[in-house]
Amino acid sequence: MQRRQFLRGALTVASAAALGGLTACGSDEDDNTLNLLAASYGKSVGSGITDQWDDFISAFEKKHPDIKVKLETVPFTRIDEELAKRVKEGRVPDLSQGNVFAAYAEQGKLHRASDLFRIPVQADFLTSFAQAGEVDFAQYGIPFLASTPRLFYNTALFEKAGISGPPRSWDGLREAARALKKAGVHTPYGLALGPEAAEDEALTWMLAANGGYSSTAGYDFLKGENIHALSWLREELVADGLAGEPARLTRTKAYEGFLKGRIGMLNAHPLLLGTADKAKLPYAHTPFPKETGGAAPPVGLTDWLMAFKNGKREQAGAFLNFLYGADSAREYGGGQGTLPVTVSGSRALRKEPSQRPLRPFIDQMPDAEFQPMNHTSWPAVRSRVQHSIGKAVDPKGPSPRSVLASLQRAADTAERSTRSTG
């Protein structure tokens, strides 16, 4: 849910509709009642399916009159906490939205996707997103409300600074940042490494240098490519005053700064499109560049749906197959700032003239790479990344190598802890 949390209270976007009253989730209903726990977003986000849960559930119940769906929503900032509480108390919903699935899968509480979906429907998921939901090579996390970022830039500021086009490499990005600074732009590049979604920004740069948080053997923070990426940021952007104060810049503040013309360019999600248009901001976007040129793999972001083993596998399967079917993708997919996670949904959205601005984001989704969400220890490790990675690019702070070494030790400790308690 991080990509929506950073917009809460900061951007004016479409308000989510009321998604249903509070009901008690649990397995004490009759066998043909599905309890669905979902996130509500208030004014922090507008997204297709969450605006339309009531309509979707009505359509599902019309097609499946023998199955009833009870929807309960909680604020998205509390969805993981609330789900964990209910699991502990034995009040487990049949289906739940969330940000964490690996622990429940390892505890044997979740149905595998292969036990829920018809083969054509499961095969329709974008491979990169389906694989991100796997634990031990079986898919348990079902991607929901997806996104990938691109490099946004203020075209008016670029023109004022005499920059002819978007940066195609890190050298080009640095030169553009220098020109923006010379033209009086407050923060040429919004390097958002504050403790809100720093793990996304840092991973963007690491992937662009062929690095990342993990490898086939597990966590791998100390990759030479990771050290190089953070060292480059520290020496080539931050030290020259081209990226503000990264450790204090949250993504919320970065978006605000971009909309106010104080930030010249930043890595951003399609959620920014509608808001920038409404603000009449002159902008464009381009793939985030690899160091030496070309498009870097984008960071894939998604919430997850999970089906708990409450004795309602067939009912949950019917609901999910309907949700991810081609007809539902056309009717309910393509909401503001979120992208379809199926091949058919992506194709359908690309054909809609009104969704033309989303096409570049859709086209890069198959190349998305993810945080190590399939590690039970990742939530704890992610918190450490959020609160420490910004120090690595501070010229007066500890070296990138020492920060990454500390993260590696913390990750190893967290892994041992989860294995011992698993």
Side-chain angles (χ1 to χ4, degrees):
M1 251 68 74
Q2 296 295 324
R3 69 184 184 283
R4 279 183 283 285
Q5 186 171 355
F6 62 65
L7 291 174
R8 185 164 63 93
L11 304 181
T12 304
V13 294
S15 298
L19 302 183
L22 294 180
T23 62
C25 277
S27 58
D28 56 346
E29 301 285 346
D30 64 79
D31 289 343
N32 287 323
T33 297
L34 279 174
N35 290 298
L36 169 62
L37 182 66
S40 61
Y41 304 102
K43 295 182 179 181
S44 62
V45 69
S47 55
I49 188 62
T50 54
D51 285 353
Q52 302 176 68
W53 267 128
D54 289 336
D55 290 343
F56 174 80
I57 290 172
S58 295
F60 170 77
E61 291 180 342
K62 184 177 181 179
K63 186 172 182 178
H64 298 270
D66 57 327
I67 303 175
K68 301 300 179 184
V69 179
K70 281 194 172 182
L71 171 70
E72 179 179 0
T73 63
V74 297
F76 68 94
T77 53
R78 293 198 298 107
I79 187 74
D80 292 328
E81 176 185 357
E82 182 65 22
L83 177 59
K85 176 184 176 184
R86 296 186 186 204
V87 170
K88 184 177 181 180
E89 294 174 350
R91 298 187 298 119
V92 185
D94 302 306
L95 294 166
S96 181
Q97 186 178 347
N99 203 35
V100 177
F101 64 86
Y104 301 127
E106 291 189 353
Q107 293 164 9
K109 297 182 183 297
L110 300 181
H111 288 293
R112 294 176 298 182
S114 59
D115 294 332
L116 298 163
F117 288 99
R118 298 193 305 272
I119 292 176
V121 179
Q122 186 176 5
D124 196 30
F125 281 110
L126 294 170
T127 301
S128 58
F129 283 79
Q131 289 180 342
E134 291 181 351
V135 174
D136 293 332
F137 304 103
Q139 183 185 353
Y140 295 91
I142 304 165
F144 183 69
L145 303 181
S147 178
T148 56
R150 288 168 65 85
L151 181 66
F152 280 65
Y153 58 100
N154 185 313
T155 54
L157 295 179
F158 267 50
E159 183 177 352
K160 178 182 177 181
I163 306 168
S164 60
R168 305 295 187 187
S169 66
W170 288 10
D171 285 346
L173 190 148
R174 180 190 58 210
E175 294 309 310
R178 287 175 175 172
L180 289 168
K181 188 71 174 180
K182 188 176 180 180
V185 177
H186 183 272
T187 304
Y189 180 82
L191 185 61
L193 294 178
E196 183 181 303
E199 73 278 16
D200 298 332
E201 180 75 29
L203 183 56
T204 293
W205 287 90
M206 291 176 184
L207 290 176
N210 298 315
Y213 292 144
S214 61
S215 62
T216 54
Y219 290 110
D220 196 0
F221 283 98
L222 272 170
K223 289 180 181 178
E225 295 87 350
N226 294 347
I227 297 170
H228 171 69
L230 297 179
S231 298
W232 191 92
L233 288 170
R234 177 177 173 133
E235 297 163 8
E236 302 295 338
L237 285 187
V238 182
D240 290 341
L242 304 176
E245 298 180 78
R248 298 179 61 185
L249 182 64
T250 64
R251 187 172 274 169
T252 296
K253 294 298 182 183
Y255 275 58
E256 288 178 332
F258 185 74
L259 292 170
K260 293 177 180 177
R262 290 172 58 84
I263 291 177
M265 50 184 165
L266 81 170
N267 198 40
H269 294 268
L271 277 169
L272 190 57
L273 294 171
T275 309
D277 290 339
K278 187 174 182 179
K280 299 187 183 331
L281 184 80
Y283 73 94
H285 51 80
T286 189
F288 195 87
K290 288 184 178 180
E291 180 175 9
T292 56
V299 175
L301 295 179
T302 183
D303 295 347
W304 303 97
L305 291 179
M306 295 161 274
F308 284 85
K309 293 181 177 179
N310 281 349
K312 301 178 185 178
R313 181 179 66 83
E314 291 186 6
Q315 294 86 345
F319 183 86
L320 291 169
N321 279 283
F322 188 77
L323 176 62
Y324 287 94
D327 291 341
S328 295
R330 284 192 295 270
E331 183 71 20
Y332 303 102
Q336 179 179 347
T338 59
L339 307 175
V341 294
T342 60
V343 174
S344 61
S346 297
R347 289 173 178 168
L349 197 64
R350 286 196 95 264
K351 294 179 181 179
E352 294 291 334
S354 63
Q355 301 297 336
R356 183 181 296 272
L358 290 177
R359 290 179 184 175
F361 295 90
I362 294 171
D363 292 345
Q364 68 183 19
M365 288 183 71
D367 299 323
E369 296 192 21
F370 291 79
Q371 303 162 11
M373 298 175 182
N374 57 349
H375 286 49
T376 302
S377 59
W378 174 240
V381 176
R382 180 182 62 202
S383 180
R384 291 291 296 265
V385 174
Q386 289 173 333
H387 290 86
S388 64
I389 201 71
K391 300 173 184 176
V393 300
D394 183 350
K396 297 180 180 179
S399 70
R401 178 182 288 276
S402 65
V403 172
L404 291 170
S406 178
L407 287 171
Q408 185 65 49
R409 290 192 295 270
D412 292 341
T413 298
E415 273 290 276
R416 288 193 295 269
S417 177
T418 55
R419 288 171 185 166
S420 66
T421 58

